[in-house]
Amino acid sequence: MKRIAVDAARCCGCGACADACPCGAITLTEDENGFLMPQIAEDKCVDCGVCRTVCQFQKEKETEPGIREVYAVKHNDKAVVLGSSSGGAFSALSDCVLAQGGVIVGAVMEDDFTVRHVFAETAQERDAMRGSKYVQSDTRGVFRKVQERLERGQLVMFVGTQCQAASMRSFLRKDYENLLLVDFLCHGVPGNALFKEHIRAMEKHFGRKIVSYSFRRKNLGWDPEHTESAVLEGRKGYVCSDELQGFTRLFNRSLSLRDGCFNCPYRSQYRFADLTIADFWGIEKITGKADKSGVSLAAAGSERGIEWMKKAAAYASVTEVPVEKALNRFRLTPVKRKDAVDAFRASLKKNGYSAAMHRYTATGTLKSRLRFTMKKIKRMVMDVER
């Protein structure tokens, strides 16, 4: 029997194969490193090949079409910008979709800190999808449900990583006029299992339960570093400490990513999605002025994407930017797998999360705490001067 994925390096964990299997023979379970991988029940499998047909990750990739237009986007509502990771492009687009009776399909962080794709038909439900989540979202069952909505004629906006968007297009096997496919620039994805270990370690460190978590809080402005914050049980407001930053540091150093990320076929100018959104870092080099509250980059990969950006202008400032000036924001080659990945995983299993994190990021050491405190003070001074 041919397997859908023979090793972790050839799988992105999207779950499209499980949703497509007509026999219910495929389930996604966590492997030894905590990443979702497809498992085939051989007594149910009839070797029909549907799973291999929809597995976009293992298909040979095209080179065209590429990025058609690029925009700098900032939502008109300052509160929306503050609650977003960058400029609120996701909110502007989803505002348009909700106004037309559509549904938004995106990732939320649930009460048990599982990151999962859900459906939102109201602004309140949509708002829970705002903000970056440096964890792979669980999309099990979502592909089939999206297809059911599309077949009923409902407008659907699907938002996910580049591999999830490509998998959605492959799963559907045809173009739907009532689908807006949106992805975002992705460094790679850690698993839910590791994030929950981080939560448990931080609860032990603080001696309190964590009731809410944010990866990209803008209390001191729009910044890619030192923004992990948590709300602790029995305390008001967010806390932001050096120890909390450990998870993002592992992510930024590519130590916590799944193996498929080091073999990612989507880091190119080819767009499977209608629109790609991201932080527009370096926008000041284009506009000549800095923006500390956040600006989104939106890149159209199709005519549909261009049309939806015109609609988004009803809710946000949308400024076209020459494509060549924004190309440096697109990662065109996969993240390099470091030798330290295996060493980190071994340390994690032997010594536990906190010890492995401290060893491979120096988070929690006196030097790290002092550096973190000094950067916080510098950002606070800069904020006052503005």
Side-chain angles (χ1 to χ4, degrees), residues 150-167:
L150 292 170
E151 289 291 340
R152 295 204 302 262
Q154 185 174 22
L155 174 61
V156 177
M157 173 179 166
F158 177 87
V159 186
T161 60
Q162 291 164 272
C163 56
Q164 288 171 339
S167 296

Side-chain angles (χ1 to χ4, degrees), residues 86-102:
S86 50
F90 161 73
S91 294
L93 288 164
S94 55
D95 283 339
C96 299
V97 173
L98 291 174
Q100 295 184 34

Side-chain angles (χ1 to χ4, degrees), residues 242-258:
D242 181 59
E243 286 76 12
L244 279 171
Q245 315 310 309
F247 190 83
T248 298
R249 288 172 186 166
L250 289 171
F251 170 81
N252 287 335
R253 296 179 187 186
S254 306
L255 297 178
S256 57
L257 311 184
R258 67 179 296 136

Side-chain angles (χ1 to χ4, degrees), residues 182-209:
V182 180
D183 65 14
F184 48 84
L185 294 185
C186 177
H187 174 71
V189 288
N192 267 289
L194 185 66
F195 180 54
K196 290 182 180 181
E197 287 197 48
H198 174 68
I199 294 295
R200 287 192 291 269
M202 293 302 98
E203 288 180 334
K204 183 177 180 180
H205 170 74
F206 290 114
R208 292 173 182 263
K209 294 284 290 182

